[in-house]
Amino acid sequence: MWQSSPPGSIYDYIRVASFSIGPDGLIEQWSRRAAGLFGMASHEAVGRDPVDAFMPAELRPEGHRRVGEILDGKEWTGLVPFRMPGEGGAHGLAEIYVMPSLTAAGERAALCIVVDVRALRHIETDLAASQAIFGQSPFGFVLFGTDFTVVRANQRFATVFGGAADDHRGRTVDDYLARPEAERLSATLKRVLETGESVTDLQLIGTAPGDTGRRHWSMNLYRVHSGSGRPVGIAGLATDVTRRQIAAREAASARRNLALLNEAGARIGTSLDLETTARELLDVAVPGFCDLASVDLYQGLLSGDEAPPGSGGAPHGESGGGSAELRRVAHASAVVDAMPAAVSGITAPGPAGTSPALGSVHRYPYGSPCAVALRTGHVEDVPGDGLGFVQSTLAVPMVAHDTVVGLVQFSRTKGSEPFGERDRALATELAARAAVCIDNARLYRREHERALILQRSLLPPGDPEAAGLDIACRYLPGNTATEVGGDWFDVIELPGHRTALVVGDVMGRGLRAAVAMGELRTAVRTLALLDLEPAEVLSALDEVARGLGTPGGGGFGGGGGAQWPSRVAHKSREADLSEVYLATCVYAVYDPVTRRCTFANAGHLPPLVAEPGQPAQLLDVPPGMPLGVGGEPFEEVEVELKEGALLALYTDGLVESRDHPLEEGLQAFRAALTAPEQPLENVCDHVLSTLDTGHGEDDIALLMARVQGLAVEAVGDWRLPPEPRSVGRARELARSQLLAWDLDDLVDTTELLVSELVTNALRYGEGEIRLRLLRDRTLVCEVWDAGLVQPRRRRARDTDEGGRGLQLVGLLSAAWGSRRTPRGKTVWFELPLPDGAPAGELSVEQLLSMY
């Protein structure tokens, strides 16, 4: 069999046969296709009556009538049921086309064309289904030929790209898409045609005629074959997925925004530092949200002003106004290498093309988007940079608790998607989170500075100095957030060049403990100025602590003060306060003349002494009860210290922690003092670096003093009998001693004041008189007697011949006072050593004040 038409023609699908009927009504010719259709060979069919051979018996009369009409010259077309020969022959339905014909002799005959109706109906059904799918599909359907031109397109495709469906025949992909997309689709069509592999969800971007917006299509491509399997083209099913793309983009944007917010919550505000928080904000925003960003904070906020930052803008109509001063504290860029130099910063407040440098202070002009954002608290759009590099900028005020603390700017460069409404909301949220952290950092800085001021006001300023002592000290608060605590130390100068050394520890931590500590420290200083014995100081301090620990208390003897009404809330607060004001304390008084130190302890750790060439030892000082407990007296211990000995007072934070018991800490402390002859500052550093202090668990206070007693030649000590001539003797001794010390300028004043004190001792005192002169940083004169009556300064009447001695002492001395002793009292005065300048003389007003 040969053919010139390509395979896959209609005749490959439709079963068509032919046969002829002679003038006698019998089959004259029988084709091979007829034999295949009816299952009867030619030799079996030729010469037979077709009606009798194929039609059922009940239809034969009508069949003979029709055949007669055909032989009479009438054409006929119709459906004829037929039966295969044999008992089990299959039944069928044939569509027969009968055309009358003439034989060579001029006799009438007929040519019959037979079509299998079943195959024809299948083809009609397939065509109808194909037409319905192709024409009625809601998706764009297009068939490309093997030359990649459009062979057929449905109406949906034509609706998108204009015209009727037939108008698209012969078009190419270049008629629908821009060059990059058209080239990509052409390459895909070629690959599908060559390989036969289908392609699904090919994403294409283009614009429909008359529409300026970009459209997104998803296209499925597959190769189409003929019945013989020959490729005849590529079918494409295109779906407009623009809305889906927009929804996907919005969903991706929402996921990105949520991820950014989650990251912002984790990364912004990790420290309580303003600049660090600003940098953390930009680390989150760049490049995840924008390409460029900067943060400006109010200068007043950075400098610690108490008042909240104001807008600082001038009223409408005024010139020269603008925002309040801001400082550029952070900036970040993801495109710094490609950024023009003129726009290396963002949104310059100055001339075009300039930007504040990092750390610089600037203002935004009144009416500028940035100034408006700061003034209104709303996001403002900022125009581009004029060079086409920055295409979109948001000026976002940083608002915390209804207060604007600064401004953050987010910028996107050319090529990035401009900011949308979702981006504005995200930018506002990012700025708000950072603003809260910055405001917290501002509040922390303010409270931290106040706490530091409080702590420093409660501790001795600078390096304490004392006669006969070299002193070094350290304080480490356990609360590193506020740097305040309940431990304290103090160095108090007492009359006679004596020194009180104090170390205490309030039970509790933080600011409340620091306040309690301050109250107790003030009480200690007040009691020390009364020049009481150490045990008496602690007894009085115990009363003060108990008074402070009860509502309404706070004075001497306040331990049993008035109580609040017995209500539960008041009792709870009373219990809290009582716990806060429990404290331990060690109080020591050192006399540089005798190098003797008297200790009293209120539940504190024992002092430690390291003498030259000897291992450090803990002093056996009875601990007593903590302050605020009451009920038990305190004991005193007097110890004579060797020259060069090292005395250490400390709190339990130095030697005790959760990692080791107290005994191990004390042993480690003793071992750390192996070289007490080193400079005291070095010794303190060595102790803190050697011991496992567990810093952060508890406050640490360390007070170290090296004993340096007054030299023998710096002390003048005499005893005088209780008789009038002792006054003159006292003047002579004082004059001789001052001349020996080269203190000629103090001779006259000292003689006068010594004469007054010795005279008072003779007049109001009892027993032997003792005169002592001490020379150190100042000159101290002491007059001792056995009388218990304390001197009292009073104003003499105009007619009185005496009574002005103590007034004179007060006018001529730098300080004076009296104190009790175990066997009487001591009256003293102090004079500054001359510095070479002429001594000042009493004014007329001072002299007249005595009368």
Side-chain angles (χ1 to χ4, degrees), residues 149-175:
T149 60
V150 176
V151 176
R152 188 178 179 186
N154 68 350
Q155 188 56 42
R156 177 61 181 169
F157 185 88
T159 301
V160 175
F161 291 99
D166 292 338
D167 295 339
H168 293 273
R169 296 180 184 272
R171 292 185 180 181
T172 65
V173 295
D174 295 307
D175 296 320

Side-chain angles (χ1 to χ4, degrees), residues 281 295-297 374 396-400 403-408 431-432 434-435 438:
L281 168 62
V295 176
D296 299 317
L297 297 180
L374 288 169
V396 187
M398 306 177 74
V399 184
T403 300
V404 179
V405 299
L407 182 77
V408 57
I438 286 175

Side-chain angles (χ1 to χ4, degrees), residues 565-777:
S566 56
R567 290 180 292 183
V568 175
H570 290 174
K571 288 183 178 180
S572 174
R573 176 170 174 80
E574 181 177 344
D576 292 342
L577 290 174
S578 298
E579 182 179 0
V580 168
Y581 283 105
L582 287 176
T584 64
C585 179
V586 61
Y587 185 90
V589 175
Y590 171 71
D591 188 341
V593 178
T594 62
R595 292 200 312 276
R596 300 186 70 85
C597 191
T598 305
F599 298 92
N601 193 349
H604 203 80
L605 293 174
L608 188 145
V609 173
E611 296 183 345
Q614 299 293 328
Q617 298 293 332
L618 295 174
L619 292 179
D620 186 13
V621 178
M625 299 298 292
L627 300 175
V629 175
E632 293 293 333
F634 297 99
E635 299 182 42
E636 291 182 358
V637 172
E638 189 175 63
V639 178
E640 184 175 351
L641 303 174
K642 293 184 179 180
E643 185 74 17
L646 187 63
L647 174 64
L649 306 179
Y650 53 94
T651 57
D652 57 357
L654 181 68
V655 294
E656 187 178 22
S657 73
R658 288 190 292 263
D659 299 330
H660 57 77
L662 177 61
E663 292 299 327
E664 290 184 10
L666 290 174
Q667 183 61 34
F669 187 17
R670 293 172 57 190
L673 296 177
T674 54
E677 69 280 356
Q678 294 291 327
L680 270 186
E681 295 293 335
N682 296 345
V683 175
C684 285
D685 294 337
H686 175 71
V687 168
L688 293 177
S689 61
T690 301
L691 297 184
D692 181 14
T693 59
H695 183 44
E697 296 181 10
D698 197 4
D699 307 328
I700 296 174
L702 174 62
L703 176 61
M704 305 191 78
R706 177 173 287 119
V707 174
Q708 297 173 345
L710 288 181
V712 177
E713 57 272 14
V715 179
D717 194 351
W718 306 276
R719 296 181 182 273
L720 303 172
E723 53 188 34
R725 63 177 183 174
S726 293
V727 177
R729 178 60 180 162
R731 286 198 301 265
E732 293 175 1
L733 294 172
R735 171 182 288 272
S736 300
Q737 188 63 69
L738 292 182
L739 293 177
W741 286 340
D742 294 328
L743 298 179
D744 303 34
D745 294 341
L746 300 181
V747 170
D748 294 339
T749 302
T750 304
E751 276 191 293
L752 176 60
L753 299 185
V754 165
S755 177
E756 290 293 337
L757 295 187
V758 173
T759 300
N760 284 344
L762 289 173
R763 182 176 301 175
Y764 305 107
E766 297 177 6
E768 186 181 42
I769 299 173
R770 183 179 176 186
L771 172 65
R772 189 167 73 169
L773 295 179
L774 307 176
R775 180 176 183 255
D776 192 66
R777 291 172 299 159

